[in-house]
Amino acid sequence: MIEHHENAENAENAENAENRTGAGRRERSDGYDPAHFAASAGFPVAPDVDPEALRQSALDALVAARTRTALLTDSVDDGELTAQHSPLMSPLVWDLAHIGNQEEQWLLRAVGGREALRPEIDGLYNAFEHARAARPSLPLLDPAEARTYASDVRGRALDLLETAPLHEGGRPLERAGFAFGMIAQHEQQHDETMLITHQLRSGPAALTAPPPPAPAGDETLPAEVLVPGGPFTMGTSAEPWALDNERPAHVREVAAFHLDTAPVTCGAYLRFVEEGGYRDERWWAPEGWSMVREHALEAPLFWRREAGQWLRRRFGVTEPVPDDEPVLHVSWYEADAYARWAGRRLPTESEWEKAARHDPACGRSRRYPWGDEDPTPAHANLGQRHLRPARSGAYPQGRSPSGAGQLIGDVWEWTSSDFLPYPGFVAFPYREYSQVFFGPGHKVLRGGSFAVDRVACRGTFRNWDLPVRRQIFSGFRTARDA
């Protein structure tokens, strides 16, 4: 009998075969091409930012990303690095060299004007040229070569960072250190992709981490919060490393609505499972119901029922499904079906961001739910410090003015919205980063997960993926009209 997670992988791989680029939210990278480089002088960046503070921030972000990359690739042997653990994912060694290649193209060539170190490998590591399932057959750099290449590029990039002009009047890629921030975010995004590969691989655990902290005290939270209606500022024109799809800031009108205080838990989702949610067509979008029927889905990815108990596999460890932890590894179709079953709906992207950022006391939008300061371990479960979401109600210091918690970190949250441009959108630094994904094919996720680093997660950050995706660290919360 095929296990649930293999059924789901087959379902997603069938869809992936139709999208022959193999591209997705974590691989929206076409590489530096001067002919397509959108060097728009009008691309908005943050004004009046101290260049030296940005230089230090860029250094810290690049070092943190490379430290995490080393952890993810040094924790397995060379055979596991070159193996394809799922047709949905690249071999880990591909991600490692791709990280170096993108850094070379955008920092050394585009910013530094340097000659190409390894121009012959650009096509091998272009995510749009080769589907993930085909990458093991390519003449990839072996693990030693990939490490040497990435290290060589990094040394040169850090030398460049010491002298690169980061002032407001410079070239668009250099202003506010944008290119360096973009590359740090790109590496962390691929680190999350590699962590997904670790979850999909078979065999004993290769990674360990302490559990997240339990919620403090015996506080009983309301099931939902009321988010008042009215206008708010969505997106940003001031965040120095915000990506093109987060820009520009603009006003949205949102009617009052109720939102779950915390993401939907495994225990709540289990009731949907055990009450026949996967056997009742009423709750499912037509495409979702077809996926369920064709692949005999019965529960979230990595869950299985054994001896009357629901178990899950998490990074090589099999354990009971925890009742009070946000549900993980569900597709948009599953999230939407649960919401219908519960008599609710998924929030729109605008609703999610208003609940996460808007402060009605002063009428402005914060960078994060708790304020403008960067995340700390007291605010959110980020950065792979833990290999699981925190229990519902954790991180009281991270709550928004509306009272909603865990909006940043723990699980990516599906919204009902298609991935579309904001009014006044400008593609930068190239249209393949976001623009080619706009439309009804991709759904927006917000908030980040435990696998996301803070450099690639903020109140305006937009993730997107295909509605069938389950291997990603996705969950959701529900809403209803006020």
Side-chain angles (χ1 to χ4, degrees), residues 78-353:
D78 284 1
E80 294 230 44
L81 284 176
T82 57
Q84 186 170 52
H85 298 282
S86 164
L88 293 170
M89 309 304 290
S90 307
L92 291 168
V93 74
W94 186 93
D95 288 286
L96 176 58
H98 171 80
I99 286 168
N101 185 248
Q102 291 296 289
E103 187 166 336
E104 183 198 346
Q105 291 188 56
W106 286 102
L107 295 187
L108 302 190
R109 300 185 205 172
V111 173
R114 310 286 175 83
E115 291 293 325
L117 296 177
R118 299 287 301 267
E120 76 280 5
I121 69 172
D122 289 354
L124 294 175
Y125 298 101
N126 186 324
F128 280 78
E129 287 192 19
H130 306 285
R132 286 174 171 175
R135 290 172 191 170
S137 64
L138 300 174
L140 304 176
L141 301 183
D142 65 32
E145 291 173 318
R147 287 188 174 100
T148 298
Y149 171 63
S151 178
D152 186 15
V153 170
R154 174 51 55 88
R156 296 167 189 250
L158 294 183
D159 289 342
L160 178 64
L161 177 60
E162 290 183 358
T163 58
L166 307 182
H167 55 82
E168 176 64 14
R171 295 187 300 166
L173 270 180
E174 296 170 2
R175 293 178 197 158
F178 177 82
F180 295 94
M182 179 183 75
I183 286 300
Q185 291 177 82
H186 174 265
E187 181 164 357
Q188 287 285 4
Q189 289 167 354
H190 272 273
D191 287 343
E192 184 178 0
T193 297
M194 289 194 284
L195 188 62
I196 293 170
T197 302
H198 272 270
Q199 168 65 4
L200 287 165
R201 63 178 283 275
S202 59
L207 301 170
T208 60
D218 297 322
E219 182 182 14
T220 300
L221 297 175
E224 63 181 7
V225 297
L226 173 65
V227 180
F232 85 106
T233 299
M234 186 172 186
T236 181
S237 298
E239 190 73 30
W241 295 347
L243 306 174
D244 60 2
N245 61 74
E246 300 171 66
R247 301 175 183 267
H250 59 286
V251 175
R252 290 282 180 99
E253 185 77 27
V254 174
F257 66 100
H258 295 276
L259 183 71
D260 288 342
T261 303
V264 170
T265 63
C266 293
Y269 196 87
L270 183 56
R271 290 193 290 276
F272 170 66
V273 172
E274 294 192 327
E275 292 183 19
Y278 282 79
R279 300 190 299 273
D280 193 333
E281 185 178 0
R282 287 180 298 165
W283 314 126
W284 296 84
E287 298 84 355
W289 182 242
S290 296
M291 181 182 75
V292 168
R293 298 290 291 173
E294 182 177 356
H295 303 286
L297 302 184
E298 300 175 2
L301 184 59
F302 306 115
W303 284 29
R304 74 173 188 268
R305 189 169 178 82
E306 187 174 291
Q309 183 181 29
W310 282 97
L311 306 174
R312 72 174 181 185
R313 182 168 61 83
R314 183 181 58 82
F315 297 107
V317 175
T318 298
E319 60 191 12
V321 170
D323 283 347
D324 57 356
E325 191 175 290
V327 69
L328 192 62
H329 297 301
V330 290
S331 67
W332 183 90
Y333 290 126
E334 290 165 292
D336 179 63
Y338 173 94
R340 294 169 190 255
W341 169 82
R344 298 171 68 85
R345 58 178 175 80
L346 295 179
T348 67
E349 183 182 14
S350 298
E351 288 174 332
W352 188 97
E353 187 166 328

Side-chain angles (χ1 to χ4, degrees), residues 21-41:
T21 65
R25 180 259 173 189
R26 297 297 177 194
E27 294 187 330
R28 52 182 187 268
S29 185
D30 191 34
Y32 171 60
D33 181 350
H36 296 96
F37 174 43
S40 170

Side-chain angles (χ1 to χ4, degrees), residues 371-454:
D372 293 336
E373 64 268 30
D374 287 335
T376 71
H379 290 123
N381 181 8
L382 293 167
Q384 201 182 308
R385 294 193 309 271
H386 315 292
L387 290 173
R388 63 194 303 162
R391 288 162 53 188
S392 183
Y395 302 103
Q397 294 184 45
R399 293 176 194 157
S400 71
S402 68
Q406 295 171 274
L407 286 157
I408 297 292
D410 286 314
V411 295
W412 285 107
E413 299 184 20
W414 289 108
T415 72
S416 64
S417 298
D418 297 334
F419 182 51
L420 298 171
Y422 289 161
F425 168 83
V426 175
F428 184 85
Y430 52 98
R431 65 183 299 273
E432 290 81 4
Y433 194 83
S434 301
Q435 188 172 350
V436 298
F437 297 101
F438 291 148
H442 294 83
K443 294 294 185 181
V444 174
L445 304 97
R446 299 298 296 264
S449 73
F450 66 88
V452 178
D453 186 79
R454 70 179 191 177

Side-chain angles (χ1 to χ4, degrees), residues 42-55:
F43 183 71
V45 295
D48 303 324
V49 181
D50 178 12
E52 296 313 308
L54 282 168
R55 204 179 308 277

Side-chain angles (χ1 to χ4, degrees), residues 113 280 439 473-474:
D280 193 333
F473 301 115
S474 53

